[in-house]
Amino acid sequence: MKHVHLGALDLNLLRILSVMAEERSVTKAGDRLGLTQSAVSHALARLRAIFGDPLFVRGPLGMQPTQRAIELAAGVQLGLAQIESALAPRFDAATTDRRFTVVGGAYVCMVLAPLLVERMGRLAPGAELRLHNYGADMYALLDTGQADAMIGGYTKPPDRFASAELFQDDFVWVVRADHPIARRPLTIEALAALSAVVIDRLPAIQDDAGNAGAAPVSGVWYDRGAFDAELARRNLSQRVGATAPDSLSGLAIVARSDMATLAPRRLAKAHLRQEQFALLDPPYVSPTLAISLIYRRDSANDPARAWLLSMLSETAATLG
């Protein structure tokens, strides 16, 4: 790997590298930086010569970063953020107009986001909360600063990320309110006889080396296979009647069918039309679901981001 002397670089080149890693387009990067395409292209040529690497290669989805560019961008973006933090005025929640981005799915949107928006409305009325759905590039969004935090049920993230449990939830089987199964004690055999609405498993989040890392939980695998294991022990099986892209779609299907779906209790209770449902405790040992907050360990260097993390923790604490 080519050794680079600091004197060969300036902040403008590093800023262009950082924005290119986010936009992956010379045109979009130029628009964002207020530069012409020619100026961005010239800067990229200088960066390639300095680092001895193509850095960005044209592909069907735009200018794709090389492994070297990915590694550089993470460090450069962290360094630029620290410089901006040092130069920026003290963060004032009451007057900020900053946009905060939190990654989360239907669970976060239904259970935590309404309380968070209410709290932020009081303490930071000019701030904006953007909720970003899960995807396979969530680590990259955190690394580049496009997302401030991620919430869900996760496996252990890479070491550069910190995680903190916000709260726990348990699981219930959900059927429509007037379903015959809701009128008698629930058994494994009765559950097995029902068709299930399952939720598509979301893609595993990839780290910089392409390794699968933290994956947000969803669907019938919320209980880590406890129900499937109990069915297997009894030599039973359950038919899949429908597959939905998210839990809210699954609940909507359940409300108008004889099917059942497995969901976190808080999500089922937070549904806007929960009177349509009966929530049934599993007739087997079901694990709890830990909802965690994931963020870059260096987030404390950004006063605004540190404030958001405290808001998330304090809001979650109100859930009990």
Side-chain angles (χ1 to χ4, degrees), residues 63-101:
M63 299 292 284
Q64 298 304 305
T66 64
Q67 185 61 38
R68 179 67 167 141
I70 292 172
E71 294 168 354
L72 285 169
V76 165
Q77 285 155 351
L78 171 59
L80 291 175
Q82 290 175 328
I83 292 172
E84 290 173 357
S85 177
L87 298 176
R90 181 178 175 272
F91 176 73
D92 182 6
T95 60
T96 188
D97 60 356
R98 175 165 172 162
R99 171 193 284 178
F100 294 98
T101 300

Side-chain angles (χ1 to χ4, degrees), residues 198-265:
V198 301
I199 312 302
D200 265 345
R201 179 167 179 164
L202 296 167
I205 299 173
Q206 304 292 318
D207 63 19
D208 292 341
N211 302 313
V217 297
S218 73
V220 296
W221 54 290
Y222 266 124
D223 67 354
R224 299 195 295 274
F227 177 57
D228 288 339
E230 187 65 24
L231 288 178
R233 192 177 71 83
R234 296 169 182 252
N235 198 29
L236 296 171
S237 62
Q238 185 182 50
R239 190 181 78 85
V240 174
T243 301
D246 55 67
S247 296
L248 294 184
S249 300
L251 289 172
I253 293 171
V254 163
R256 299 181 65 87
S257 72
D258 288 331
M259 299 181 194
T261 193
L262 186 65
R265 187 184 300 273

Side-chain angles (χ1 to χ4, degrees), residues 88-132:
R90 181 178 175 272
F91 176 73
D92 182 6
T95 60
T96 188
D97 60 356
R98 175 165 172 162
R99 171 193 284 178
F100 294 98
T101 300
V102 176
V103 176
Y107 186 99
V108 174
C109 292
M110 290 290 290
V111 174
L112 192 61
L115 298 175
L116 179 61
V117 168
E118 180 183 17
R119 190 179 190 87
M120 289 178 64
R122 296 196 307 270
L123 301 178
E128 175 188 348
L129 177 65
R130 180 173 182 257
L131 296 168
H132 193 296

